[in-house]
Each structure stands twice: as C-alpha cells, then as structure tokens.
Amino acid sequence: MMSDPAQLAYLIPLLPLLAFVFLVLAGSVKQWVTGDIRLSDHLAHRVSIGAIFISWLLAIAILVDIVGRHGQTYIHSYPWLQLGASGALGSSAGGLQISFGWMVDPLTALMLIVVTTVTLMVQIFSTGYMAGDVRYPRFFAYLSLFGAAMLALVLANSLLELFIAWELVGLTSYLLIGFWFEKPTAKRAAMKAFLVTRIGDVGLFFGMAYLLSLTGTTDFVGLVIGNPETGALPFRSQGWLEAGIVAGPQIMALKGTVGLGLVALLIFAGSVGKSAQFPLHVWLPDAMEGPTPVSALIHAATMVAAGVYLVARMYPIFDLGGPLTALGATFRPLGLVGLTGAITAVMAAYFAFTQFDIKRVLAYSTISQLGYMMIGLGCGGVYAGVHDPSLGFTSGMFHLMTHAFFKGLLFLGSGAIIYACHHEQDMRRMGGLWKLTPITFWCYLTATLALAGLIPGGLFSKDSILEAAFGYNKLIFAAGVLGAFMTAGYMARQLVMVFAGEYSGGHEHGEHEHGDDGHLPHDPPLTMTVPLIILAVLAVVSGFVGIPGSMKIAGFLKYHALSHPEPAEHAMNWTVTSLGYGAALLGMATGLGSYSLQTRAFAFQTARPTALDWFLYQLSYQKGWFDEIYRATLVRGLFLVSDAAAWMDRWIVDGIVNGLGWLTRQLAFLSALVDRFIVDGLVNLVAVVSRGLGKGFRTVQSGQVQTYLLVATLGAILLIWAVAAGQIGAPTP
Amino acid sequence: MSAAFVILLLITVGAAVFVVTTKNIVHAAVFLGFTLLGLAGLYLLLGAPFVAFAQVMVYVGAVTVLILFAVMLTAQRLMREPRYGSQWRVAAGLAAAVVFGCMFWVINATSWPISPLKQDLSNSSEYLTQFTSGLLGSYLLPFEVASLLLLVALVGAVVLAKEERE
Amino acid sequence: MTTTPPATLEAFLLIGAMLFCLGIYGALTRRNAVAILISIELMLNAANLNLVAFARFVDHSHISGQPFAIFVITVAAAEAAVGLAIVLCVYRNIRHINVDQINLLKW
C-alpha cells in the first residue's frame, strides 16, 4: 500500500465526507436509541479530527511518493459518458466524453498538503475556540463537509468534477459564514458571499460548457495534461503517466483562437468570484461574520485559493487562448489575470489601512495577497515574452502555499486574541498584549513578517512573483512593489494597535463568564496555541523550497511550454529582490513609526485635515464605496427586474389564467342556460304537450252516460249512412 | 190503409211522444203501457196473434208494472223531474231527427222484395202449428238459452235488489 | 189469392222508425234513470215491430220473424228487471237517480 499511496487518494475526501454523514445522522440514531438527540461534543470533534488526520497522513504519503517520481501524473478514471467518435481520450470535436475519477500530479499533491494541514490545525484550534457553543457538533460536521469538498476539488480529474466540488465548497462557505444565524449580519453576509460568488460561478459554468462544445470533453488528461515534451496524449489512460501540465492536442489546435480565449475569460470569472478579486471582492470582508476558525480555513487558506488553483490547472488554456478585444484594448487572458491581480493587490491594501476590526484588516490583506498570486500566474506563459514561461505559474502557486500557512496563522492568532480579549474585535480596545499573551504575540509576529516578505516564509514566494512581474511588465512590477510597501505598512499598524502599549479593553465588560483572574487577557489554552506554533514553523520552513537561485519548487511545479526553448538555469535577480525587500522594510518602518508605541495612536494626526485628506481617508475607510455602488446599481436593478417579473406574473400570467377561469365560468353559465332552457325546455315541452293533450282529451270522459249515448247515436248515423249508401239501388235478390 | 191501422198508429205514436216528453215519471210509465198496447194491436193487424198476446202479457202486464214498482221505490220528493237545458234537448232532438231522416230515406229508397201472402192463417189453428214448429224446431236453441237467461236474470235481479244486511 | 195488408210495409217500418227515434230522444233527454229504461223499452219494441212487419211482408215462410220477436220480448223483460234492480241499488246508495249527477267515471 505504501508503494502507491496515490491509488488510495480517493480516501482523502471520502473520510471527511463520511465524518460529515456520521455527524449528521448520528444524532438521529442516538435519539432512536437513547431518546436524546444531542451528540456529545467530544464525539463530534474526535470523529471529525480523526478523519482529517488520516487524510493528512495520506496526503503526506502521496507528496513524498510523488516527489520521488519526478513529474509523473497519476490518473484513475471511469468513463461515464461517451458519445460520437472513437473512444480515444479527448478525440474529435462532435463527440462527447465525460469520465469521473481522480488525478494526482505535483500541483494536486501540493494542494493536498496545504488543505489537509491547515484544516487539521483549524479543527484542533476550534475545539478550544468553539468550546461550549450550542451547535458545536454541527460546526464540525460543516468543517468536515468543507474539507471533503475542497479535497475533492483538488483531486478532480475533469473540469466538470471540479465544478461540482466548487459549488459544494461555496455551499459550505455559506453554511459556515452564517453559522451564528441568530445574528442578522451573519445571515446577510452568508447570502452576500453566496450570491457574489454565484456571479462568478455562472461564468465558470458557461466557460465549461463552451469548452465542452469546442473540444467534446472536460477531462484534464488530453486537454491540459499530456506528454511534457510533445503535449501528445499519454500512452496509457490509467495509472501513472509520464505527463505534466502542458497544452494537449486539442488546445494546440485551438491555439490563438478567440474561442479559446473566451473560455479562459469565462473560467477566470469563476476565479474572480471565488478568490475575491476586483470587482467581485465585496463578499470577503463581510464573510468575517463567521467564526474565526472558518475565516482562517476558508477565507484565507483554502477556498479562496481554489480560484488560483483553477487558473493554474487550466494554465495551458489561459496561455494559448487568443487575444480578446474589448473597449478598444486588446489583451491576452493571462494578461488580464495579471492586471486584475495587480489592481486587486493595491486596492485591497489601500482599504486595509483604515479598518478597526482585526479580522477586516486580515480580510483585505487576503484579498490583496490573492491579487499577488494572480499577478504571479499572469506574468507567465509562452506569449508573455518572458525568459521563463513557467516562472509565473510556479511563483503563484508557491505564494499560495506560504500564504495559506501564514494567513491561516494570522487568522487563528486573531482568533486567539479575540478569545483572550473576551470576544472583543475592535483593535482600539486592545493593546499591551505583547506581554499579556506572549505565545500568541510571537507567532503573530512571525506571520506578520512572513506576510510582509521580510523573513524566508513569505520572502521567497513574494520575491519570485516580483521577479516574474519584472520580466513581463514593469507597471505590474511597480504595483507589486507598492503593494509590498503597503502590506508591511498596514500590518505594522495592526501590530502596534493590538500588541503595543497597554491593554485598554475590558472596562465596560463587568463580570465575565471566564471567571478567572479578573479581566486581563492571557494566552488561550494549549488546544489553541499549539496549532499556532505549528503553523508558524511551517510558514517559515515552507519558504525554503523556493530559495531564489535554486528553486526546487520550480522543478516540482512546472508548466511545460511547448515550442519554447528551455530556459537557462535560474539565477537570482538582485534588482528585484532588493527593491522588493527594501519596499517591505520601508513599509514596516513607516508603519511602526507612524504609530506611537505607547499610546497606539496615529502619530501624524493633523489638527485640521484638508478636503483631500478627508477624501483619501474616506476612500479607504469606506472601502471604495463598492458596496454602496453595487447596491444602488446592480441590486436595485435586480429588484426592479424582479418587481417587473412579479408584476408580469401577477397581472399578465395570473390574469390570463384567471381570465381563462372566468371565461370557463361564463361558458359554463351559458351551457347551464342552454341546458336549463333548451334541453330541459324540450323535455318539459313534451311533458307540457302531453299534459295539455291529456287535459283536453280527458274531457271526453265526462261520466255523463247520456253524452256517450249521443255520440253513439251520431256514430250509428254514420254507420247507417255508410252501409246503406252502398246498398241503395242494388237489385234485390 | 185501413182505419184500424190509422187509429192504432195514432195511439202508439202519440203515447210514445207523451212517454218521452212528460215530466211526470209515473205518467211516462202509464203512457208506455198505452204504447205497448197499441203495438199489440199492430201485431194483430200483421197476423201475429201469439206475439200480440205475449206483448200484452209480458210487456203491458209485467214490465210496465215492474217499472211502476221501480218508480215508486225510487221515489223522489218531487215526481216531476227538472228538464235539461234547451241546448241539450235541441241537440238530442236533432240527433234523433237525423236518425229518423236516415231511416226514412233508407226505407223509401230500398225496393223491398215483397213476397205476397197467399193465405192469412192467423185465425186458424194452422197458425199455431206453424208458429211452434218454428219456435221449437229451428229456434229450439235460442228458446232454451232464453229460458236460461230468464233464470239468470231472475237470480241477478234478486241479488242486486236485496237489502243490505249489517 | 193474396190477402191485402192493412198498410204498406213502408208504413209499418216508418212507425218503427218513429218509435225508435222517440226512444233515442227519450234516452238522451230524460234525467231519471227509470225514464231512460222506459225509453230503451220503447226502442226495443220498435225493433220488434220491424221484425213482425218483415215476417209478414218479406219473409217467404211468413213466420220466422215472430219467434224472433218472442225472444226479443224475453230478453227485454229480463234486461228491464236487472236494470231496474241496478237502479234500486243506486238509489239506495245515493238517494236519487238523476243520471247527470252520477258521474263517478268522470275523468
């Protein structure tokens, strides 16, 4: 078994799914057996953590195994629907081929490690954070379901399968954001998340459908997985293949076409929604209504990374898709990806500067970092005119991994802080925690430095992105550098506001349910601090796979660009590195210097702000007024359409139906008239006539004998006449 | 047209007119008797003495008396009966007149095949022989049936007219 | 040699016709049930006269009509007896015998 753990890869999503089913159904079974429907909290988290732990071990086994195989891909698929031309994989347009199964390649293995590790840490953390919650077992059930869905997404071997898991991930996100559904803000946030990502999902669906119509299949093998040298179909169709991420024959055939570019664009719409890129980023800050472990898992490390994963998985399509023209500008799909990422990175960082909620800052930071990943991915590909087409691909995914660790750590750390400060989330009421919660402080500091790009965790991944951008487009590079400066800046601000100075919170909270040593915060229990420490270690260590100059990860996660000369050995670009590092240092210094370490207040507060100051501040604080604009335009427009449709339904459709009903009633009335007067009339007429005739004729029966006699006499007269008239004149015999 | 015929004619028809026109029922019964007597006389003229005797004995003697009995047993307070309206009587009279008219026409229009009587036997004993040979010869069956009929009528009349017992 | 009849056949027949029609008139016109029976007797006698007249004038044997007349008389007598018995019954029930008021068979 250990020789080929990829064969067991299906267990990785299956175990958490079974945990979910168990947790959902066990309550009913328990009720049937003991009469009490409540599951014990211990049972819930043990089942859930047990499942994800085993999945984690399997993921490690798969990673170790696949590193040793040097770029092979494992495929296990069952053909499900095959119409049209011969059954060869991905053959001829006009046919249709859909299969189900799983696929393990280096990209998948990386994602498996990331998802299982962070999920495991989050679940362990949740046992402390969510302790005592009324719906504790349900929380773990949802976490398990999410884990199952996300792992299935990563293991999918076709775009269709991925889409199914994608939708399920969106569903669990909705369930978890709205977990505390007693809060109306939570309900609204969950709905907003679902609907906004839905907009993107529609694009993804149409992209998938269009791809299916162009190529007849959505299976990865043959489209985006193939022989690394030639791009041809692998010799075998099952098991370990000599295959990597490369453009397959059908994609090569569609190279440069507008159709393929449109497919890429539509698929990217899904990524824009799921990964909260501009302009569909508005749901992520509101998603902070959910419990903090949820924010850590879904909205920092995994679900939002699914969009990045999708672009990476479909990279050949993005790379070879033809340029599209809109509004006078022509752009390649990857170029659009990079541009979107750049805009998002800078914009979100700008908004992060003025937020007071600890989680909101992190939320905008996540949006910004996701933008960085898109920058990375976008600055690659055959047609980017870069030296190494695979660098962008590698750097984006590298940053995804390190980001998952340090952003997950940051969120869990914020969860620990919130827990310690008795569920206080406003940073203005924190402070002094560097000595009150030391473990949390050091982990948080580590993560912050990694995020800023100052220590090896995030340093190398961010550096590789900047390098890719530098080689492609100087403007995007400049945006990246600016973003690095801003990232360090707002994180410094957060550090000061949360940890420096003296603790300023807890005054208005009287007695507390924690009931321990007064109101001062302290480090949370081990169940919460141990995951922090583990993640901190991982955040740093994971960076070392990509030390510039000998990027091992570049050999592992590789996009094979056909018809491009093999790039030369990768050497470190000191210009880029120094500019990036310098910007980060500068940002950190500026941030630390702008806030007094004693009072935690802004050091340069002007007495009389100018109109420009006020506008710039409001632009950040009001988050660019995106929500307001969307509400005024799209939401109102949607409600107008909905009202119009309702009007049409009530007056026209119902009118027609009611009209038909009314018409039928009138016809029935007429029919009743006909029946009553004509049909019944005829029948009654017969009766009336009979009665009349009877009435008339019965008068003959007068009962008067002499009348009868008179009539008889008259009859006799007639008889005489009749008989005699013939006889008179006849000769007598 | 002998004188006897004319007298008998007047008696018969005149009495008959009285029978049907008088309001008094007793008078009607009595005049019926006269009519029947007149008819007996006519029978004699026609050479049927037996029939005449039977007529007098049965009709005048028994039937008339029977009728008078019935009249008295069904006596009303008023022996005179109120008449019908004139409309009815005119209609009835008209009907009767029309019947008479038809008969009149038929009687005169038909040429009756007269077979002349050679010998008037009504005064001799030959008559009775001839009569009874017919009565008990050719008409034996009707004779016997008639006697049965009389018996039945007798019983029936007695039963019908019997007083009801409680 | 032939004997001369007292009158023509037509005369006798006319008398019979007159009696008959008088009988009809009486049957139609009289209110009293007994009076109607009287009129019926009249009609029967008219028929008898016809019979005897035809026996005298038309019949070859000159005798056949007379026994027939005897039977008529017989039957008429019987009928008068039964009819009057019925009238008596009626009288017993309804205390009068005005036929215009006896209309139980009316519709």
Side-chain angles (χ1 to χ4, degrees), chain A residues 160-250:
Chain A
L160 182 62
E161 229 180 281
L162 191 149
F163 182 74
I164 295 169
W166 181 278
E167 292 296 320
L168 197 55
V169 165
L171 171 70
T172 48
S173 167
Y174 164 83
L175 289 172
L176 284 164
I177 293 172
F179 187 72
W180 287 323
F181 53 71
E182 295 88 2
K183 282 199 295 177
T185 46
K187 285 191 287 198
R188 282 201 295 267
M191 192 65 77
K192 183 174 177 179
F194 194 79
L195 289 175
V196 173
T197 53
R198 204 90 193 92
I199 299 170
D201 293 350
V202 169
L204 174 58
F205 183 80
F206 277 117
M208 181 174 73
Y210 191 30
L211 178 67
L212 193 64
S213 80
L214 285 177
T215 62
T217 183
T218 61
D219 297 347
F220 292 150
V221 176
L223 284 183
V224 295
I225 300 283
N227 185 300
E229 311 296 323
T230 64
L233 295 175
F235 177 62
R236 283 203 309 265
S237 57
Q238 294 264 48
W240 283 107
L241 314 170
E242 287 296 328
I245 302 175
V246 72
Q250 278 183 302

Side-chain angles (χ1 to χ4, degrees), chain B residues 13-25 27-29 31-32 80-84 89 93, chain C residues 21-23 25-27 29-31 35 38-39 42:
Chain B
V13 177
V17 170
F18 268 112
V19 165
V20 297
T21 54
T22 183
K23 283 195 205 164
N24 192 326
I25 185 71
H27 290 177
F31 276 114
L32 177 69
R80 296 172 185 278
E81 65 173 34
R83 287 196 196 280
Y84 284 130
R89 283 186 291 131
Chain C
C21 296
L22 285 167
Y25 179 77
T29 309
R30 302 304 292 255
R31 192 167 265 174
I38 289 172
S39 308
L42 208 54

